[in-house]
Amino acid sequence: MVDTIDSRPKGAVGEAAMKVLDSKLTRQMAVNMHACVHCGQCFESCHYYLATRDPKVTPAYKAEQLRKLYKRRHDWLGQLAPGWVHATQPTDEQIAALYEAAFGNCTMCRRCNLSCPMGLDMALMMRTARWMLTSQGLIPPGLKATIDTHLATGNNMGITREEFLETVDWLQEELQKELDDPDFRISVDRPGTEFLICLNPREVKFYPLLFMAQFKTCYAAGLDVGLSSAYWDATNYGLFSGDDAACKQIVTKTIDEAVRLGAKTLILTECGHGYRVYRWEAPGWYGKPMPVNVISYIELAAEQIRRGRIKVDKKRNTERVTYHDPCNQARSGGIIDEPRYILSKVVMDFQDMEPHGENNFCCGGGGGALTMSEFRDRRLAAAKVKADQIVATDAKIVATSCHNCIDQLSEIGKHYKLGVKVMNLCELVANAIVLPPKAVTVAVQEIGERPVAVDADGFIEDTSLWSPEAAVFLARRQGFGDVLERLTPDQWRVVDFTRAYYGRFGVPPMRETVCAELQLSKRQFGTLFPGTLKTLYRTAGLSREVVHKVAAE
Amino acid sequence: MNEVLRVVENEVQLVALAIFVGMYLVRLNWLRSLRSPWETAAPKASAARGVLLSFGSVFLPWTMESTRKHFAVYVEFALFHIAVAIAILASFALPYAPQLLPQPVIYVSLFFLALGVVAGLIRIRRRLVNVNLRAINTPDDYFAITVVSLWFAAALWGLGTMSDLGLTVYFGLTALLLIYVPLGKVSHYLYMPFSRFYFGYTFGRRGVTVRKSQWRYN
């Protein structure tokens, strides 16, 4: 950093950085610059300060490093009597102090934002400061390398398409074994994929179990998910360098890829900042209405569990679990209750940290801190607050849903000898999932050229083999005697309508719909197809999965 | 009433007020001229409720960790600002609507002004003693709190004795503050509605401070 400043004429870096500040000056930013009353209420909200008690790491002090520069340029008193309000020119020394504050002593976790009586947004100020510096080449090398790699290769670890596809193949085989389903496929680049999953490159490279856990969840929920082999990286470290152009480039490629594949929804893996980027910040960078929905894996899993589409058994996770809220996902993303809802369903013993939720302390690995090896010592020192929080819960497992948090929490665990296991939420979910029993073929009838097989519930196993002859076979098997022995024209009318409806809407019609459309009373319907609606669905050749999905809803 | 007091209470006040309003309007116009990017992502919860909660949190100290932990500081903040409100209102009531200040109202005002002085002194002391606060406080901060505390004391003196000298000092300080406020730290009054609005808007629509009941888990 010092080399970069020294290589330029004295004060040149600062002057150029100030031009960047001027270009980034919004109303919100100006308000943040003027409204601080220096009351000190933010001090104890900061993990850096709590761990060190150093006056130079309080949120207000860090913000002052930027305000001093701003005031000299935009504040009346700062221009008239700079010393009166500590306004200063952008000297090399002041730029160095800003670098320390913005990159070395702040993770942009926004916790102080909640404690500020004025509601000032430190993350906005620090991100602006970071961009002022980054634009002048003052950026931690690790952070720069991560962004450059992403821009050059499409993902932040430089994983090639071949490597990616190889990993997907391997994990597909693993999942086929785990799910006991040789037909299981991970769709890659398939047009029409409804849900497109964005992964963290670390899941592809180092944590395949997390990759598998997420696909297992989607499989259990019966969702049509897939991947892009070109733009699948959920991360965007431009958020941490303040580089909006890089952010825009990255999100645009991913969103355009989703559009190309016809996806309706992007599922963001358990990546704190990735979720925030795509859910909340991307629309601003994308510059036009978002053509896809964005949800987190956490939201998806919580919703599927709540709707009963995924069966879980909490007895499979018996150890005490606590949960660390990733700042970008909770405080800046609003995902606070969903992970707790999931944990209430998938683990036996859950103990929240205090404080938690929107007031949770940053683990210390936020804001791209893990890429900045030069600040490792202070990152770990500041993590003492988190270590104490974990110890107080007496938990054996710390769950979280962010890869930066996972890495930092693992490092904290070793550094402070906590003796805890760190897990992503998806691992706990996957472990608790109870897959429905496999369909067992109980009857086979030769109809036409190929045998039609029926499972234990009486549903056709391969729906493509359905034919009018197969319908009669399926109807007769249901044990309603003469009623379904030979299908009458009225029964055919119902069957045809059901198949047409399913073909059009992707879901089978409910009884009320059939009756309304075909002008049947419920009694007449019951006479045509006795028993439950399944009698009709079986006859119409709908699959067991489709019917079970409807039942769950 | 001597002539000095009459001029300070009327002409000087009006000129100072005109300068104050003029400077505020210039500042507001400047703020208005800046870009104000709005979030365009689909909201998760209500921005309007978030804004209401944000402004309400000033009166709900238990909703903020800092005021929960330091309740005494919150009380001091409240007393200080009650005194500010009284001192401002009195500066208008005394010359233009003295009937609004019957004896009981004056007694209550004096009580809160006295507490305001105490709160101001505590604030000055804390900023001088606390090393962390010293690191961020500027001469402007010390000056602002000192002048405002003196203003409370002058109001206490003027309202309490109704003496020409006390009232002249009070109105003199009022005029000084009116001119200084838009320049220095006290101008946070101007920016606070914006900052609390942005806070409530962002955290409300993102579902951080406003939550959906469907995910209640216990």
Side-chain angles (χ1 to χ4, degrees):
Chain A
M1 200 274 295
V2 175
D3 292 347
T4 311
I5 293 182
D6 287 349
S7 67
R8 310 257 292 267
K10 210 164 174 50
V13 170
E15 278 307 325
M18 289 309 290
K19 285 191 180 133
V20 173
L21 174 62
D22 291 344
S23 73
K24 300 284 284 185
L25 192 57
T26 59
R27 196 177 301 157
Q28 196 176 1
M29 186 67 188
V31 165
N32 275 282
M33 288 294 157
H34 284 280
C36 181
V37 291
H38 301 146
C39 66
Q41 291 291 292
C42 57
F43 294 171
E44 291 179 18
S45 63
C46 178
H47 56 292
Y48 280 98
Y49 172 72
L50 285 177
T52 62
R53 300 284 166 182
D54 180 354
K56 291 190 172 177
V57 298
T58 65
Y61 184 90
K62 288 178 271 191
E64 280 305 296
Q65 304 318 306
L66 180 58
R67 284 202 186 97
K68 285 178 178 187
L69 299 168
Y70 170 88
K71 283 182 178 173
R72 190 71 183 86
R73 222 171 173 96
H74 295 285
D75 183 75
W76 288 334
L77 273 181
Q79 290 164 334
L80 289 169
W84 190 247
V85 290
H86 287 174
T88 180
Q89 294 287 5
T91 60
D92 291 349
E93 293 72 28
Q94 187 53 37
I95 291 295
L98 185 64
Y99 184 89
E100 281 293 300
F103 284 114
N105 293 328
C106 180
T107 54
M108 306 195 293
C109 76
R110 270 184 159 167
R111 192 166 192 277
C112 50
N113 202 170
L114 296 185
S115 280
C116 175
M118 307 296 285
L120 301 185
D121 189 347
M122 269 288 290
L124 173 69
M125 287 184 275
M126 287 298 108
R127 186 168 186 271
T128 306
R130 285 185 177 197
W131 175 233
M132 289 165 64
L133 298 161
T134 297
S135 65
Q136 303 310 309
L138 304 177
I139 175 173
L143 179 56
K144 183 176 187 314
T146 307
I147 298 166
D148 289 348
T149 305
H150 199 150
L151 291 171
T153 68
N155 66 82
N156 77 30
M157 293 183 84
I159 297 168
T160 63
R161 186 168 183 274
E162 290 67 35
E163 275 178 273
F164 178 74
L165 291 174
E166 218 170 83
T167 306
V168 171
D169 268 353
W170 164 52
L171 294 177
Q172 180 174 281
E173 280 174 31
E174 292 297 315
L175 276 161
Q176 284 172 347
K177 283 181 220 155
E178 185 176 339
L179 302 170
D180 189 23
D181 183 352
D183 295 330
F184 171 78
R185 294 282 179 275
I186 296 176
S187 301
V188 180
D189 298 334
R190 179 168 56 83
T193 300
E194 192 178 349
F195 293 92
L196 198 64
I197 298 189
C198 289
L199 297 163
N200 187 302
R202 299 179 68 73
E203 289 164 341
V204 179
K205 199 118 178 164
F206 304 126
Y207 298 105
L209 285 177
L210 305 181
F211 183 124
M212 288 169 63
Q214 294 179 69
F215 272 88
K216 183 179 176 184
T217 308
C218 295
Y219 174 85
L223 299 176
D224 171 24
V225 296
L227 292 166
S228 155
S229 65
Y231 300 107
W232 48 265
D233 185 351
T235 71
N236 193 330
Y237 278 66
L239 183 74
F240 303 140
S241 69
D243 186 347
D244 284 348
C247 286
K248 178 176 179 156
Q249 200 177 327
I250 291 168
V251 300
T252 302
K253 281 180 176 168
T254 308
I255 295 168
D256 285 349
E257 177 70 354
V259 171
R260 190 183 70 79
L261 292 174
K264 289 182 185 148
T265 302
L266 279 183
I267 301 175
L268 268 293
T269 184
E270 292 191 79
C271 176
H273 85 276
Y275 172 74
R276 174 182 164 191
V277 162
Y278 281 95
R279 175 65 177 86
W280 294 108
E281 317 293 350
W285 292 317
Y286 192 58
K288 46 190 172 182
M290 283 285 275
V292 287
N293 297 320
V294 177
I295 59 167
S296 151
Y297 164 82
I298 302 297
E299 291 173 293
L300 176 117
E303 182 66 15
Q304 300 303 318
I305 293 171
R306 188 174 71 87
R307 294 170 73 176
R309 290 174 71 162
I310 298 178
K311 300 274 182 275
V312 284
D313 179 5
K314 61 165 73 174
K315 293 192 202 77
R316 294 183 182 183
N317 294 309
T318 54
E319 289 189 300
R320 173 170 284 195
V321 178
T322 189
Y323 180 71
H324 164 74
D325 291 275
C327 304
N328 279 308
Q329 190 170 276
R331 206 156 26 240
S332 287
I335 297 187
I336 296 167
D337 291 329
E338 292 90 335
R340 290 173 174 79
Y341 175 82
I342 291 174
L343 285 164
S344 72
K345 303 289 178 191
V346 303
V347 305
M348 294 279 286
D349 185 3
F350 172 62
Q351 179 64 51
D352 241 330
M353 295 183 200
E354 290 304 335
H356 60 264
E358 71 270 34
N359 287 312
N360 193 34
F361 278 103
C362 175
C363 63
L370 283 154
T371 63
M372 308 174 200
S373 52
E374 60 272 46
F375 298 124
R376 180 179 179 274
D377 290 346
R378 60 179 90 167
R379 166 167 61 80
L380 284 173
K384 174 79 169 57
V385 177
K386 179 54 60 183
D388 290 345
Q389 268 194 297
I390 294 170
V391 169
T393 63
D394 207 19
K396 295 280 174 264
I397 295 171
V398 182
T400 189
S401 47
C402 164
H403 278 273
N404 281 327
C405 296
I406 281 277
D407 288 352
Q408 169 76 349
L409 289 167
S410 302
E411 214 172 329
I412 294 174
K414 285 182 201 137
H415 187 77
Y416 291 100
K417 299 182 175 54
L418 302 182
V420 291
K421 190 176 173 189
V422 182
M423 294 176 82
N424 264 51
L425 214 47
C426 67
E427 292 177 88
L428 292 165
V429 172
N431 197 38
I433 285 176
V434 180
L435 291 170
K438 285 273 139 206
V440 180
T441 304
V442 294
V444 178
Q445 173 85 21
E446 291 288 340
I447 298 170
E449 291 177 359
R450 292 177 60 188
V452 172
V454 176
D455 67 19
D457 285 342
F459 290 97
I460 191 167
E461 286 189 358
D462 183 349
T463 54
S464 69
L465 295 180
W466 186 90
S467 64
E469 294 78 18
V472 174
F473 163 61
L474 292 163
R476 280 180 187 159
R477 298 193 62 259
Q478 299 191 51
F480 291 102
D482 291 347
V483 180
L484 294 175
E485 185 58 29
R486 240 179 250 106
L487 294 177
T488 65
D490 279 344
Q491 285 170 322
W492 275 117
R493 214 155 59 92
V494 176
V495 169
D496 289 343
F497 171 78
T498 302
R499 287 184 62 79
Y501 187 96
Y502 176 70
R504 189 170 168 203
F505 299 108
V507 289
M510 303 307 286
R511 190 193 313 263
E512 292 73 17
T513 312
V514 177
C515 291
E517 292 292 322
L518 302 181
Q519 296 183 331
L520 296 170
S521 67
K522 282 186 183 170
R523 183 187 290 267
Q524 285 171 314
F525 182 90
T527 311
L528 294 172
F529 291 94
T532 67
L533 254 184
K534 284 184 185 173
T535 311
L536 168 62
Y537 293 161
R538 288 186 189 106
T539 309
L542 301 185
S543 75
R544 180 175 177 273
E545 287 72 29
V546 166
V547 175
H548 278 211
K549 207 187 285 182
V550 172
E553 286 170 12
Chain B
M1 183 193 288
N2 69 33
E3 186 59 14
V4 175
L5 173 58
R6 195 196 61 75
V7 172
V8 171
E9 194 178 283
N10 292 286
E11 285 82 353
V12 171
Q13 287 303 301
L14 290 175
V15 170
L17 194 62
I19 294 171
F20 167 87
V21 171
M23 285 201 282
Y24 260 12
L25 287 178
V26 169
R27 219 53 188 159
L28 277 173
N29 190 49
W30 172 74
L31 267 185
R32 198 188 54 80
S33 72
L34 297 173
R35 281 182 305 119
S36 179
W38 296 95
E39 282 198 352
T40 51
K44 180 172 183 179
S46 163
R49 252 193 98 201
V51 171
L52 271 177
L53 280 170
S54 173
F55 281 102
S57 66
V58 177
F59 306 100
L60 310 169
W62 56 89
T63 60
M64 221 190 290
E65 184 188 80
S66 51
T67 41
R68 269 199 309 270
K69 277 188 176 173
H70 302 285
F71 190 68
V73 175
Y74 175 79
V75 172
E76 174 200 303
F77 150 85
L79 292 173
F80 191 82
H81 286 85
I82 289 170
V84 168
I86 289 170
I88 291 172
L89 290 173
S91 75
F92 286 101
L94 275 170
Y96 304 115
Q99 70 278 10
L100 294 177
L101 294 173
Q103 211 57 29
V105 173
I106 295 228
Y107 286 143
V108 172
S109 299
L110 293 176
F111 175 71
F112 279 106
L113 285 167
L115 289 174
V117 172
V118 174
L121 292 173
I122 294 172
R123 291 181 148 207
I124 295 166
R125 183 189 169 274
R126 188 169 53 245
R127 285 172 192 248
L128 287 169
V129 170
N130 185 310
V131 64
N132 298 312
L133 284 171
R134 272 211 312 271
I136 54 170
N137 273 260
T138 65
D140 174 44
D141 293 309
Y142 295 110
F143 175 76
I145 300 179
T146 306
V147 170
V148 173
S149 302
L150 285 173
W151 182 46
F152 295 159
L156 197 60
W157 177 19
L159 276 179
T161 62
M162 289 293 174
S163 69
D164 284 2
L165 184 57
L167 288 170
T168 304
V169 172
Y170 167 52
F171 281 108
L173 280 174
T174 307
L176 172 70
L177 273 171
L178 279 171
I179 294 167
Y180 186 74
V181 160
L183 295 171
K185 168 237 180 77
V186 194
S187 66
H188 68 269
Y189 288 114
L190 175 67
Y191 302 103
M192 191 271 227
F194 289 93
S195 60
R196 286 239 65 97
F197 173 83
Y198 286 129
F199 175 95
Y201 178 83
T202 305
F203 286 114
R205 76 196 304 279
R206 290 191 182 194
V208 178
T209 51
V210 181
R211 311 264 268 276
K212 283 188 173 176
S213 57
Q214 72 187 36
W215 297 118
R216 292 289 174 229
Y217 48 90
N218 52 16

